[in-house]
Amino acid sequence: MKLRKASAAAATALVLALTATACGGDDNDSSDTGSGSGGGDTIKVGIKYDQPGLGLKEPDGSFSGFDVDVATYVAKELGYEPDQIEFVETKSADRENALARGDVKFIAATYSINDERKQKVDFAGPYLLAHQDLLIKSDSDITKATDLNGNKLCSVTGSTSAQNVKDEIAPKAQLKQYGGYSECIAGLQSGAVDAVTTDDSILAGFAAQEQYKGQFKLAGLKLSNENYGIGVKKGDTATVDKINTALEKMVSDGAWDTAVKENFGPANYKNEPAPKIGNIVQ
């Protein structure tokens, strides 16, 4: 009997030890921001994978674009080196869910700030002011938004751009929604759609790609103001404050201007000056 009791006690001790070890693993949760060398081994950041000039996954597995540069700068200020960043694809329709689930710590993915989204997530920034525009074929006779009546207009599922045009400007436009902007661009190239609408920064990135050279043009319309913010899980005000501090530093030390020129310069994109950080407006 004594031997059995001793064995049972040893087994209990072993279970407790394993439980303590498992709990201790939470200290290295990859979603922590931390400081210095980082609160964890990695930080997961949401970006787009299919937006040239903003968030693009290259054939070699690396990432490029203005949002990527902003996210990398912010993560470094939070204590993470580039090799500690895990970029996660977050499509427009899944951004709020990704933050709510804790899939990523923050999202830098052409995430326009508006009242509806502010009910679900918190925003740092804004860090870029873009304008909604149209991308059309070079020989298109579309010159204004009302010309879209009777034409096929494409944007991505979860984006507000195309719906805004249909509701407020061209109610007879035929709205087509695809899973990503690259699909819309392919549709424009093939003639399946007549125009693609989203932010001018996104459209300029596509128009500047070598394979589309000379095929498309921006209509040059400023249909809306789109303030890009960095999305953070609702209630995580501490991370919002840290990101705002990082963005202010990025603007003040010139890194913001450098990133704009490197990513948008080839498309002759005429960007607005850096917006006031912490001024969260629709």
Side-chain angles (χ1 to χ4, degrees), residues 194-223:
D194 302 300
V196 180
T197 187
T198 187
D199 306 343
D200 51 9
S201 56
I202 298 172
L203 298 174
F206 279 107
Q209 285 192 293
E210 187 64 30
Q211 67 264 41
Y212 300 132
K213 189 174 182 180
Q215 295 185 42
F216 308 134
K217 64 181 179 182
L218 287 167
L221 309 178
K222 293 185 177 181
L223 300 175

Side-chain angles (χ1 to χ4, degrees), residues 145-183:
T146 52
D147 291 338
L148 292 169
N149 281 311
N151 286 311
K152 300 180 183 69
L153 175 65
C154 186
S155 195
V156 303
T157 304
S159 172
T160 60
S161 300
Q163 194 64 52
N164 288 343
V165 172
K166 184 172 176 62
D167 289 347
E168 301 175 14
I169 304 173
K172 294 183 180 179
Q174 300 174 43
L175 183 59
K176 303 289 184 180
Q177 292 185 313
Y178 293 161
Y181 289 110
S182 57
E183 297 172 49

Side-chain angles (χ1 to χ4, degrees), residues 51 65 106 144 162 172 182 203 213 221 226 250 255 258 271:
Q51 292 181 354
F106 65 84
K144 55 188 182 297
K172 294 183 180 179
S182 57
L203 298 174
K213 189 174 182 180
L221 309 178
E226 304 295 336
M250 187 177 186
T258 298
N271 66 282

Side-chain angles (χ1 to χ4, degrees), residues 223-245:
L223 300 175
S224 69
N225 292 331
E226 304 295 336
N227 286 282
Y228 290 174
I230 292 182
V232 176
K233 188 174 183 178
K234 190 69 176 176
D236 190 357
T237 55
T239 298
V240 169
D241 291 343
K242 290 176 183 179
I243 293 176
N244 278 336
T245 298

Side-chain angles (χ1 to χ4, degrees), residues 253-272:
D253 69 11
W256 187 90
D257 284 320
T258 298
V260 168
K261 291 175 183 176
E262 289 181 349
N263 291 292
F264 300 132
N268 296 316
Y269 174 67
K270 296 176 176 60
N271 66 282
E272 300 279 4

Side-chain angles (χ1 to χ4, degrees), residues 15-29:
V15 170
L16 290 173
L18 290 173
T19 301
T21 301
C23 293
D26 290 342
D27 292 339
N28 290 322
D29 187 346

